[in-house]
Amino acid sequence: MAVVLRPLGLGDLLTGVPAIRGIRAAVPDHRLVLATTRALDPLATLIDAVDEVLPAVELQPLDWPAPPPELAVDLHGKGPASHVVVADLHPQRLLTFDSPGYPGPTWYADEHEVRRWCRLVTEGLGVPCDPDALDLAVPDVDPPVRDVAIVHPGAAFPGRRWPVERFAAVARHLAAAGERVVVTGGPAEQELAQRVAALAGLPEDAVLAGRTTSLELAAVVAAARVVVCGDTGVAHLATAYRRPSVVLFGPVSPALWGPPPRPQHVVLWHGDGTGDPHGTELDPALARVTVAEVTTALHALLDRV
């Protein structure tokens, strides 16, 4: 048995997929259990390396009824607060980044999130780990729409949310160009999505926010023509399904969280990496991204679809 800890957000889960696949390659005969949040349980089942999903809460003890696992890996963080969660399972082998009381590979703050966890696995378990192995299985559900242009205005913190009026301008431009536009988001982002749709002159049924399950949202992204969004989980879904995407970065450098260098993913960023990703106000770097930049990038991608 091998236990992997990653109870964070959607983007965190998806950036950890290559490392999870590396762990599977290191212990091919083990049952691999991924400890992640209940909200991400459905999407975690789309990772081919995972045999079982264990509900977990960030930095809380795991409800582990089985004997100690042969291997436990902390894909959550760099310090004792998360290391102890897997250490308390008393595994035969524990893999964490180096911190007091926990020897392991060195943590580098300027490393891309995907490559960081791949390096932990490569150095700790002695197996190659492909940072481009980000793909997910397509959910076995019918997407409510196909071949659409997705506008996703939400993000976890205001500092990473491009202004509503600009998302609406992009949506209006795409609709005028003949694209079927939908506005996505979680239940808490329904009002935000409705504002974008109203300002863009889109019909009510264009708002999918709050109306899809996580698997349905993934299926919509997998079947989309193009995605435009901020630095948030949907950007990583577009990467996982290799769909054309324009991703708007602000406080965080795409060198740390951006998509891999593929022609179908375009990153727009005018920052220096000194912003606050948890900021309560629009980050100045994100504010410098213009509607014209976004629409130009979108048309360049759509011309190749």
Side-chain angles (χ1 to χ4, degrees), residues 63-105:
D63 183 8
W64 181 255
E70 290 85 359
L71 173 68
V73 183
D74 181 5
L75 292 189
H76 180 283
K78 63 180 180 179
S82 60
H83 296 353
V84 71
V85 175
V86 283
D88 279 351
L89 301 180
H90 304 291
Q92 295 176 22
R93 186 175 184 187
L94 177 66
L95 178 57
T96 71
F97 275 112
D98 181 64
S99 70
Y102 297 93

Side-chain angles (χ1 to χ4, degrees), residues 62 70 96 128 130 159-160 163 171 188 223 260 264 272:
L62 296 175
E70 290 85 359
T96 71
D130 181 5
R160 286 184 267 150
Q264 68 264 46
D272 57 9

Side-chain angles (χ1 to χ4, degrees), residues 21-131:
R21 290 197 167 109
I23 295 166
R24 161 57 72 208
V27 288
D29 298 328
H30 288 47
R31 184 169 182 81
L32 195 150
V33 179
L34 174 63
T36 192
T37 65
R38 288 188 182 277
L40 292 178
D41 186 328
L43 294 173
T45 63
L46 303 177
I47 305 170
D48 55 8
V50 172
D51 296 309
E52 181 183 339
V53 180
L54 177 69
V57 177
E58 185 175 2
L59 302 181
Q60 296 298 312
L62 296 175
D63 183 8
W64 181 255
E70 290 85 359
L71 173 68
V73 183
D74 181 5
L75 292 189
H76 180 283
K78 63 180 180 179
S82 60
H83 296 353
V84 71
V85 175
V86 283
D88 279 351
L89 301 180
H90 304 291
Q92 295 176 22
R93 186 175 184 187
L94 177 66
L95 178 57
T96 71
F97 275 112
D98 181 64
S99 70
Y102 297 93
T106 301
W107 174 283
Y108 300 120
D110 60 351
E111 192 168 20
H112 191 285
E113 185 74 0
V114 174
R115 293 185 177 277
R116 167 182 292 130
W117 300 111
C118 279
R119 183 174 57 82
L120 176 71
V121 171
T122 296
E123 293 185 14
L125 300 179
V127 295
C129 190
D130 181 5

